[in-house]
């Protein structure tokens, strides 16, 4: 960059003292943490920082955590519902030891099907078991060896293939859609960016760069930015809007509530002040002549940026030259509302923002119908909100609210229904009579409700008693404690959004999920609340959406229904089938699902005295089964040693067997037998390695049909393992040279 800007290639120097030795007119480069350049007049030195040449794009934040862009590794829990690919839906009951001899032990996974039928699945075959995600009480288990599951699986495979073909067509249509190229004037854009007073996180910067690249590509953008509450999605939207309006296009930002719209209007007007950009507001708060004026200016092109509720998709709203549609908190809009909004923005770029995407949106992003950027790095000094599940007791509430008041903060108290507000208000007045309580709910006049919430955000009152209207995107910088009454009446994503309203400053927030002491939560409710307690880390929104996807199903992506194939077979198996079907629909090769069968007369295990926890052992087997390379297996073995100490012989053998499987798969060997007299490798049909080995015979090797016999065996199981390793060494050497 410096060479292009200055016309000279800089000479790299090690320290500031080296500058004095340089001749006048020299150009040198020194690595130093500078925000901006400056002059050293008495020595005639001009310092030029990277930001002087590249503006905001010169700096990168420290990557505080890796972005989560997949559903994550499967985590099995005892009692969960799972899907066995050959037998259907079952309950996961536990592990059971299988001991062939005193020295040769293994473990099997015990599954329970309908009518208490049991099936033991070797831990080696855990790849045939997939997470389902719903509670055992909420589903019907399949009959072991029944006819229903094979028919259902075949029908689902057929439907998924049809869906994949349609998805490929939709993706191709999207790729071929032209959209305006945005190239904002660098000076104006940089002046706008400089008004952001915080350092970008690594994920924020990556999301902004991806969005700007989309806007400049000439291809219609349809990008989902998934970032946890308070992680900086609004800044991504601001910069996208700046790129559009400075390129001469109109921008529409849609938010689900009038309160959030009002906050966005204030934020955007403050950031665009002085640039001559008219930021308009259109919601139920804007009526009559004022609303007509906004619509006229949009149609005439005088207004460049409008922020509103779904009223922006009404028939009377017309745009002169809409270039970008931003949908904030997409999970709060219905499918028909979003379709209407997208229809009104035909030909424009679309940017969607969410902390907890609904299953349909998350799934569409994961299969490629939308691009996705995940902001998982938290802002500097941001702390995770502590989550506490407890029964509603006066002493607990009094302590929580007074403690927050004592440290100069505010509290939220959220009820699931409007009729709960008044009884809770009376109770709070008794418990904390000295605290000022503000009330807000949906039956209040819109202007009054908005004024109450805005006043609270500005510091008025000690406690805001409200329904879940405070859930969506509000910035309440001084609120650090939230109490949620009857959390069983909220969804996972709603609860996560609610607790994201607090702790957005440097103080740590606390969320109390208060259950009714007179009504014990159901098992499924306790499981959901346990998920919230477990996923209380920063950036958990994506993981919670994935869990919600497990619990609820994604729905049919190509229709209006919210119950689809995911509900029948679970998200992970559906994702696996869909990925394969998409490859087939694109004409790509799809490798058959298979795993080598090792019959060496020995096995490995994680012993109980080495890893006592049953669930931990189960998930270790699952992780081992997912590894596909020898390097991954070796790294996992090192991790096991770090976590649990020096491994016993059974664990060493388990990893040796895993390495053998990996090597057999690479060679196309689907079965490896070993006995006292010989070893036999049975190859898969049309195996490339087999064809290269076809001419190999003699020196102990002999072909018998599809089997390659190695005339060397042993009565000792460990010796057979050594012989098998040497046998594969020879095949790999011969196969690669062939």
């Amino acid at each position: 960059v410096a060479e292009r800007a200055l016309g000279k290639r800089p000479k790299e120097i090690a320290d500031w003292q080296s500058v004095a030795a340089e001749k006048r007119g020299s150009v040198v480069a020194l690595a130093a943490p500078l925000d901006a350049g400056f002059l050293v007049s008495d020595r005639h030195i001009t310092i030029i920082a990277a930001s002087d040449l590249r503006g905001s794009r010169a700096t990168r934040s420290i990557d505080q955590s890796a972005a989560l862009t997949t559903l994550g590794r499967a985590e099995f829990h005892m009692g969960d519902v799972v899907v066995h690919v050959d037998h259907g839906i079952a309950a996961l009951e536990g592990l059971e030891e299988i001991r062939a001899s005193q020295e040769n032990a293994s473990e099997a996974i015990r599954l329970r099907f309908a009518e208490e039928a049991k099936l033991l699945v070797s831990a080696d075959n855990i790849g045939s078991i997939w997470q389902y995600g719903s509670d055992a009480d909420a589903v019907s288990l399949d009959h072991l060896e029944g006819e229903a599951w094979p028919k259902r699986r075949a029908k689902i495979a057929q439907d998924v293939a049809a869906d994949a073909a349609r998805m490929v067509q939709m993706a191709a249509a999207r790729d071929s859609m032209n959209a305006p190229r945005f190239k904002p004037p660098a000076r104006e854009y940089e002046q706008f960016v400089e008004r952001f007073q915080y350092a970008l996180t690594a994920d924020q910067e990556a999301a902004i760069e991806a969005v700007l690249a989309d806007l400049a590509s000439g291809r219609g953008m349809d990008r989902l930015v998934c970032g946890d509450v308070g992680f900086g999605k609004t800044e991504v939207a601001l910069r996208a809007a700046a790129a559009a309006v400075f390129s001469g296009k109109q921008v529409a930002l849609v938010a689900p509530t009038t309160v959030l719209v009002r906050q966005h209007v204030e934020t955007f007007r403050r950031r665009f002040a002085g640039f001559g950009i008219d930021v308009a507001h259109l919601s139920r708060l804007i009526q009559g002549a004022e609303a007509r004026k906004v619509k006229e200016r949009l149609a005439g092109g005088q207004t460049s940026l409008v922020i509103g509720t779904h009223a922006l998709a009404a028939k009377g709203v017309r745009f002169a030259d809409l270039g970008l549609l931003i949908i904030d908190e997409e999970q709060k809009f219905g499918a028909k509302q979003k379709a209407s909004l997208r229809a009104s923005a035909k030909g424009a770029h679309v940017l969607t923002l969410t902390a907890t995407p609904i299953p349909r949106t998350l799934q569409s992003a994961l299969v490629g119908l939308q691009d996705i950027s995940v902001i998982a790095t938290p802002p500097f000094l941001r702390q995770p909100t502590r989550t506490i599940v407890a029964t509603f007791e006066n002493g607990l509430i009094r302590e929580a609210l007074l403690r927050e008041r004592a440290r100069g903060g505010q509290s939220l108290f959220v009820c699931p229904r409007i009729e709960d507000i008044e009884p809770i208000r009376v109770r709070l007045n008794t418990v904390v009579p000295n605290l000022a309580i503000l009330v807000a709910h949906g039956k209040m006049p819109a202007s009054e409700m908005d004024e109450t919430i805005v006043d609270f955000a500005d510091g008025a009152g000690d406690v805001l008693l409200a329904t879940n209207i405070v859930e969506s995107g509000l910035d309440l910088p001084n609120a650090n404690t939230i109490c949620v009454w009857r959390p069983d009446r909220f969804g996972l994503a709603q609860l996560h959004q609610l607790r994201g309203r607090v702790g957005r400053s440097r103080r740590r927030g606390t969320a109390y999920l208060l259950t009714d002491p007179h009504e014990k939560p159901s098992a499924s409710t306790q499981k959901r609340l346990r998920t919230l307690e477990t996923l209380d880390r920063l950036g958990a929104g994506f993981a919670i959406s994935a869990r919600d996807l497990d619990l609820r199903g994604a729905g049919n992506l190509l229709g209006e229904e919210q119950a689809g194939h995911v509900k029948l077979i679970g998200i992970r198996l559906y994702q696996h089938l869909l990925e394969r079907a998409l490859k087939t629909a694109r004409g790509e090769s799809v490798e058959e699902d298979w795993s080598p069968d090792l019959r060496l007369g020995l096995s490995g295990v994680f012993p109980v005295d080495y890893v006592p926890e049953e669930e931990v052992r189960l998930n270790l087997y699952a992780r081992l089964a997912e590894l596909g390379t020898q390097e991954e297996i070796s790294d996992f073995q090192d991790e096991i040693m770090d976590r649990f100490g020096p491994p016993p012989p059974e664990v060493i053998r388990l990893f040796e067997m895993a390495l053998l499987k990996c090597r057999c798969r690479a060679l196309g060997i689907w079965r490896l037998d070993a006995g006292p007299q010989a070893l036999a490798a049975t190859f898969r049909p049309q195996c490339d390695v087999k064809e290269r080995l076809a001419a190999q015979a003699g020196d102990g090797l002999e072909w018998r049909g599809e089997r390659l016999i190695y005339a060397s065996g042993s009565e000792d199981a460990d010796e057979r393992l050594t012989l098998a390793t040497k046998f594969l060494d020879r095949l790999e050497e011969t196969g690669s040279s062939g």
Side-chain angles (χ1 to χ4, degrees):
V1 174
E3 184 177 0
R4 290 197 304 270
L6 303 175
K8 293 184 179 182
R9 183 175 182 81
K11 172 187 173 183
E12 294 187 12
I13 59 174
D15 50 46
W16 175 253
Q17 286 73 22
S18 303
V19 175
E22 296 296 326
K23 296 179 181 179
R24 190 167 184 172
S26 299
V27 179
V28 297
L30 172 65
L34 297 178
D35 293 328
F38 56 92
L39 296 176
V40 184
S41 16
D42 59 334
R43 300 183 64 180
H44 306 288
I45 298 174
T46 301
I47 309 297
I48 302 172
S51 58
D52 299 321
L53 301 176
R54 300 198 67 207
S56 65
R57 297 176 299 281
T59 59
R60 296 193 67 89
S61 333
I62 298 172
D63 187 2
Q64 300 171 52
S65 66
L68 175 62
T69 54
T70 68
L71 289 179
R73 189 169 58 243
E75 285 288 341
F76 291 104
H77 301 283
M78 300 308 171
D80 278 357
V81 178
V82 295
V83 179
H84 190 286
V85 291
D86 295 324
H87 302 289
I89 296 176
L92 176 60
E93 288 198 330
L95 290 173
E96 197 165 302
E97 185 184 65
I98 299 176
R99 187 170 290 277
S101 64
Q102 188 63 31
E103 299 80 17
N104 194 3
S106 62
E107 285 194 293
I109 303 158
R110 187 172 65 255
L111 302 181
R112 175 173 55 84
F113 289 83
E115 298 180 355
E116 299 301 316
K118 300 294 195 296
L119 176 70
L120 292 180
V121 180
S122 169
D124 291 343
N125 294 322
I126 196 171
S128 63
I129 299 173
W130 296 78
Q131 281 183 313
Y132 182 83
S134 291
D135 299 306
D137 295 338
V139 299
S140 297
L141 303 182
D142 281 307
H143 286 82
L144 188 60
E145 307 297 342
E147 298 180 358
W149 169 250
K151 291 179 180 178
R152 196 161 77 246
R153 184 181 61 183
K155 178 65 166 59
I156 291 171
Q158 181 181 351
D159 291 346
V160 168
D163 284 351
R166 293 171 63 190
M167 288 178 188
V168 169
Q169 292 177 355
M170 290 168 64
R174 177 195 151 205
D175 289 341
S176 65
M177 184 182 72
N178 294 324
R181 295 177 183 268
F182 294 163
K183 294 184 178 180
R187 181 178 178 183
E188 284 182 296
Y189 182 78
E190 288 302 334
Q191 287 176 344
F192 178 85
V193 167
E194 285 172 3
R195 295 183 175 183
F196 184 59
Q197 55 186 320
Y198 307 102
L200 292 174
T201 64
D203 289 347
Q204 240 185 326
E205 185 172 3
I208 290 169
E209 289 178 354
V211 168
L212 294 180
D214 288 346
L215 296 177
S217 69
R219 183 179 69 90
M221 176 178 74
D222 191 353
R223 180 170 291 275
L224 172 69
V225 176
C226 180
D228 217 340
V229 180
F231 275 34
K233 299 184 297 296
T234 301
E235 184 61 23
V236 179
L238 279 161
R239 299 197 187 190
V245 297
F246 291 150
S247 299
K249 297 293 184 178
Q250 290 177 304
V251 175
L253 188 155
V254 188
T257 66
T258 56
V259 180
L260 184 53
V261 166
R262 184 168 169 172
Q263 282 201 345
H264 277 323
V265 169
E266 293 177 0
T267 300
F268 275 69
R269 283 177 177 169
R270 183 173 62 252
R271 285 292 294 275
F272 280 99
F275 288 102
I277 302 299
D278 178 24
V279 179
H281 176 187
L282 193 62
S283 71
R284 62 178 178 171
L285 299 178
I286 308 300
Q287 298 180 348
E290 188 178 356
R292 287 194 297 272
K293 183 180 178 181
V294 170
K295 294 175 183 178
E296 289 171 1
R297 290 180 62 81
L298 285 173
Q302 293 89 357
T303 292
S304 300
L305 204 161
V306 63
I307 301 172
T309 57
H310 61 276
L312 286 174
K315 292 182 179 179
V317 179
R318 298 286 184 272
F319 294 92
D321 192 9
L322 182 62
L324 172 65
L325 169 67
I326 303 172
I327 303 175
D328 192 18
E329 300 288 335
E330 66 85 26
Q331 75 277 4
K332 302 298 291 183
F333 292 98
K336 289 185 178 180
Q337 286 179 317
K338 283 184 282 190
S340 177
L341 289 168
R342 287 173 176 271
S344 68
K346 191 173 183 180
H349 297 282
V350 179
L351 176 64
T352 306
L353 311 176
T354 184
T356 49
I358 62 172
R360 185 196 300 265
T361 300
L362 178 58
Q363 181 66 16
S364 70
L366 291 175
V367 302
L369 291 182
Q370 284 180 284
D371 294 317
I372 184 170
S373 294
V374 178
I375 302 178
T377 50
F380 184 60
L381 295 181
R382 179 76 180 272
Q383 300 181 68
T385 295
R386 184 191 303 109
T387 304
I388 299 171
V389 178
T391 56
F392 191 159
E393 296 177 357
N394 289 350
L396 175 68
I397 299 305
R398 177 180 173 80
E399 180 185 355
L401 299 182
L402 290 181
R403 183 174 59 243
E404 187 58 55
R405 167 67 184 276
R407 64 174 180 171
Q410 297 170 291
S411 301
L412 297 171
F413 203 111
V414 178
C415 300
R417 302 175 304 180
I418 294 176
E419 51 264 39
D420 297 324
I421 293 283
E422 184 57 23
I424 293 294
R425 187 186 67 80
V426 172
R427 189 168 179 179
L428 290 180
N429 281 333
T430 303
V431 175
V432 283
N434 296 328
L435 297 189
I437 300 173
L438 305 182
V439 176
H441 56 76
K443 285 190 176 179
M444 297 169 60
S447 57
E448 182 183 344
M449 180 186 71
D450 287 358
E451 287 293 340
T452 300
I453 296 176
V454 171
D455 288 346
F456 182 79
D458 290 339
D462 299 308
V463 180
L464 177 63
L465 176 60
T467 55
N468 65 327
I469 56 171
V470 298
E471 170 190 337
S472 298
L474 296 175
D475 187 15
L476 304 171
N478 201 36
N480 301 298
T481 294
I482 183 170
C483 301
V484 181
W485 168 238
R486 292 299 301 266
D488 53 299
R489 293 179 175 173
F490 295 95
L492 265 181
Q494 281 183 306
L495 290 172
H496 180 64
Q497 286 277 74
L498 285 169
R499 76 175 174 185
R501 296 303 107 212
V502 299
R504 301 183 69 166
S505 62
R506 295 185 179 184
R507 293 176 180 170
R508 184 168 187 180
T510 305
Y512 294 88
L513 307 182
L514 304 172
T515 60
D516 189 340
H518 305 295
E519 187 175 331
K520 185 179 179 180
S522 66
S524 60
T525 296
Q526 291 177 358
K527 193 170 186 179
R528 284 195 301 117
L529 299 183
R530 188 176 68 210
T531 298
L532 262 293
E533 274 192 311
T534 303
L535 296 174
D536 65 349
R537 65 184 184 273
L538 291 171
F542 198 90
I544 286 172
S545 292
R547 180 60 176 154
D548 208 22
L549 194 58
D550 278 342
L551 292 170
R552 292 167 51 193
N556 188 334
L557 294 175
L558 306 175
E560 291 297 324
E561 307 83 25
Q562 284 298 320
H565 300 123
V566 172
K567 199 64 177 176
L568 298 177
I569 60 175
I571 178 58
R572 285 180 171 81
L573 179 54
Y574 174 78
Q575 182 77 19
H576 175 71
L577 294 176
L578 184 57
E579 285 175 356
R580 295 172 62 82
L582 285 169
K583 286 183 178 180
T584 301
R586 297 187 191 110
E588 302 172 9
S589 61
V590 181
E591 187 176 356
E592 180 187 348
D593 278 334
W594 68 285
S595 178
D597 181 13
L598 303 185
R599 303 190 178 189
L600 307 183
L602 72 165
S603 59
V605 69
F606 290 111
V608 175
D609 56 359
Y610 185 62
V611 184
E613 298 84 0
E614 190 177 35
E615 280 191 3
V616 175
R617 296 202 308 278
L618 177 63
N619 284 293
L620 291 179
Y621 291 126
R623 284 188 60 188
L624 187 59
E626 292 174 354
L627 304 180
T629 68
Q630 296 182 52
E631 183 180 2
E632 289 174 344
I633 294 170
S634 297
D635 289 344
F636 186 41
Q637 188 170 10
D638 291 340
E639 179 188 329
I640 293 297
M641 291 180 63
D642 289 340
R643 289 177 62 184
F644 304 104
E650 303 98 315
V651 175
I652 295 174
R653 187 182 298 141
L654 182 67
F655 278 94
E656 288 176 340
M657 297 286 286
L659 286 169
L660 278 184
K661 270 195 172 186
C662 181
R663 297 174 69 186
C664 284
R665 186 176 180 85
L667 289 165
I669 299 173
W670 72 267
R671 178 170 160 177
L672 183 64
D673 293 272
Q677 304 300 322
L679 277 79
T682 306
F683 289 81
R684 300 176 67 237
Q686 300 176 341
C687 172
D688 293 340
V689 177
K690 176 198 164 188
E691 292 175 3
R692 292 198 298 270
L693 292 170
Q696 300 297 319
D699 194 19
L701 293 177
E702 178 186 353
W703 280 101
R704 295 180 187 173
E706 296 292 322
R707 307 177 78 193
L708 182 61
I709 308 298
Y710 180 47
S712 183
S714 174
E715 294 284 353
D716 183 78
D718 287 324
E719 287 184 14
R720 288 200 293 268
L721 181 61
T722 302
L723 288 172
T725 302
K726 292 180 179 179
F727 177 49
L728 295 184
D729 289 341
R730 182 172 175 182
L731 296 186
E732 286 172 345
E733 182 181 350
T734 306
S736 60
S737 63

